[in-house]
Amino acid sequence: MFRIHNIAALLLTLVLGAGVGLAAENSGDRIGKPLYTTRGIAALAAAGTKVPSNRVLTIPYWTGSFKSNSSNHKVDAFSYTMAGNSPWATSPNSVVPTTIVPLSISFSNGMRLDGSTKVQSTIASPIFQPFQSQTGFTQYGDAVYRASFFKILTGINPNWHVLLGQPTVMPTEYLTVPADSGFAFNGSHSGAAIGLVDSDWFNGQLKNLISKLKIDPRSLTIFLTENTFLFLGNPGKCCIVGFHSGVLAPEHQSVNLNTFVWASYSDAKIFDAPIQDITALSHEIAEWYSDPFLSNTVKPWAQPGSSVCSANILEVGDPLQGFHNLSFTVMLDGTVYHPQDAVLFSWFARQKPSIGFQGRYSYRGDKLFTPAPPCFDAAKR
């Protein structure tokens, strides 16, 4: 926990725009770097429970595997599990039911950030509405998913889609943040109302809500907030803008696995990075498609521009975080949205040539031009 005087000190820094280590010309509110976590609430594996398995009631999924050469000429095999039906099968399209839970969050200074005000904008966005994408007239998540396996689809199943059902919107859930677990203020540059909340406290709230709401585990749950970001332990370790995870709940003869996404619908100019409206949500939706159970490990990879191993998980949004042109624009009914670009499957699988759209390794095709290169573990040097 952090102390009240630390909050006051950070607020003064935010108001004055003094951000340690940041140049004066930076344009964001200087609250921290936008971050994504990989597990959020908890690890998905429970004692004695394999995820996924026939005992687990959850979203539709399929499994596959690939082989990758290692530096010692050994061939490593990796298995993976993804949402919907396999692109290698001629099965019908998948439509995954979706539930939105808006969160209205109140702070000790009287400010309130209400995710319910962003529900209609989210439903009207490319997350749920089709647009003319590079891989067909479809939703954002499906467009990226199709791009990963496009060469397979053209030969086997060109009409393959995994879509999000038009969402059921649950009643707004109201949360009150204790004074020692978060605070709210107006951004010094954006002017937006912003909330910073302790990650542990927030995770506990989501876990309680999943238990309370009894949402069908065969659907994807989206927890939606407004300009609310998380810090790890103290406000200096900010800002988590989204994550996806899941909660296991034992039943009589089976286990329910609710997969979910949390992200904030955010105003422009809060961060130096190009993150606004659905950017964070699109990042997590794309990752949910390709790694819904947080179980897909691959050979370690480095962030582009580095040779130090960063992670060994198949999370399609994370490797692009350093790019300035992180998002792209989609206009629907006169509103411009900013979904994020994403990495395609062949980059992680080190496949040459790529089985992705036009042989690409990223959805937009302007960032990654080869598979993930070898990297070294800095801890072993």
Side-chain angles (χ1 to χ4, degrees):
M1 292 294 182
F2 56 95
R3 298 182 184 276
I4 297 298
H5 69 263
N6 289 339
I7 297 178
L10 183 66
L11 278 172
L12 180 61
T13 297
L14 293 168
V15 170
L16 296 178
V20 176
L22 295 174
E25 66 270 22
N26 282 359
S27 57
D29 287 324
R30 305 180 185 183
I31 59 176
K33 180 180 179 181
L35 304 169
Y36 297 88
T37 57
T38 56
R39 295 205 174 247
I41 284 180
L44 298 182
T49 302
K50 182 180 179 182
V51 180
S53 78
N54 292 333
R55 292 185 60 244
V56 176
L57 184 64
T58 189
I59 60 162
Y61 63 85
W62 60 281
T63 59
S65 64
F66 66 90
K67 294 181 179 180
S68 184
N69 293 325
S70 62
S71 56
N72 60 3
H73 305 292
K74 176 184 174 183
V75 177
D76 297 319
F78 297 90
S79 61
Y80 56 89
T81 304
M82 296 187 177
N85 293 330
S86 170
W88 276 271
T90 55
S91 53
N93 295 339
S94 302
V95 178
V96 180
T98 309
T99 301
I100 293 178
V101 181
L103 302 181
S104 179
I105 302 179
S106 296
F107 295 85
S108 59
N109 64 352
M111 293 181 69
R112 182 165 67 93
L113 292 166
D114 191 351
S116 68
T117 64
K118 304 301 182 183
V119 168
Q120 292 308 313
S121 296
T122 300
I123 295 174
S125 78
I127 300 296
F128 291 104
Q129 304 309 317
F131 68 103
Q132 194 57 57
S133 78
Q134 296 180 88
T135 56
F137 187 67
T138 190
Q139 299 168 335
Y140 161 80
D142 181 59
V144 172
Y145 208 23
R146 283 174 55 81
S148 267
F149 303 104
F150 204 78
K151 287 188 178 179
I152 305 302
L153 302 183
T154 55
I156 297 176
N157 199 1
N159 295 318
W160 176 80
H161 293 274
V162 177
L163 301 171
L164 298 182
Q166 293 305 299
T168 298
V169 180
M170 300 285 284
T172 301
E173 293 291 331
Y174 295 86
L175 304 177
T176 300
V177 182
D180 62 352
S181 295
F183 57 101
F185 56 95
N186 290 107
S188 59
H189 179 73
S190 69
I194 298 170
L196 302 186
V197 179
D198 179 73
S199 176
D200 288 342
W201 181 87
F202 187 75
N203 290 344
Q205 302 305 304
L206 293 195
K207 185 175 181 180
N208 291 340
L209 286 173
I210 289 172
S211 176
K212 165 189 166 183
L213 297 175
K214 305 295 184 185
I215 297 172
D216 190 334
R218 292 169 292 189
S219 71
L220 168 66
T221 302
I222 297 174
F223 291 102
L224 187 63
T225 54
E226 176 194 16
N227 287 351
T228 302
F229 313 108
L230 309 183
F231 57 81
L232 296 168
N234 67 77
K237 297 179 179 179
C238 194
C239 300
I240 299 170
V241 298
F243 61 72
H244 69 111
S245 189
V247 172
L248 285 166
E251 295 293 327
H252 297 297
Q253 300 295 325
S254 64
V255 176
N256 288 345
L257 172 51
N258 286 87
T259 61
F260 69 89
V261 163
W262 161 71
S264 253
Y265 196 106
S266 56
D267 289 345
K269 301 181 181 180
I270 292 177
F271 297 103
D272 291 335
I275 291 180
Q276 58 184 297
D277 54 75
I278 63 166
T279 307
L281 179 58
S282 67
H283 174 117
E284 295 302 334
I285 290 293
E287 294 192 335
W288 172 85
Y289 268 87
S290 291
D291 193 13
F293 306 127
L294 295 165
S295 58
N296 295 341
T297 58
V298 296
K299 287 181 65 176
W301 48 267
Q303 291 286 346
S306 171
S307 58
V308 179
C309 295
S310 174
N312 69 334
I313 51 178
L314 202 161
E315 294 287 281
V316 301
D318 292 348
L320 299 184
Q321 291 314 295
F323 286 87
H324 178 70
N325 56 338
L326 177 68
S327 59
F328 59 99
T329 60
V330 175
M331 178 177 286
L332 289 174
D333 293 330
T335 299
V336 177
Y337 296 94
H338 298 82
Q340 186 189 310
D341 199 356
V343 180
L344 303 187
F345 174 79
S346 287
W347 188 82
F348 295 97
R350 269 80 167 187
Q351 292 173 335
K352 287 186 177 182
S354 168
I355 62 172
F357 177 69
Q358 295 184 346
R360 296 176 181 177
Y361 292 97
S362 61
Y363 173 71
R364 298 288 290 175
D366 59 352
K367 297 177 181 66
L368 306 175
F369 304 101
T370 62
C375 60
F376 70 89
D377 185 349
K380 293 182 179 180
R381 301 198 86 185

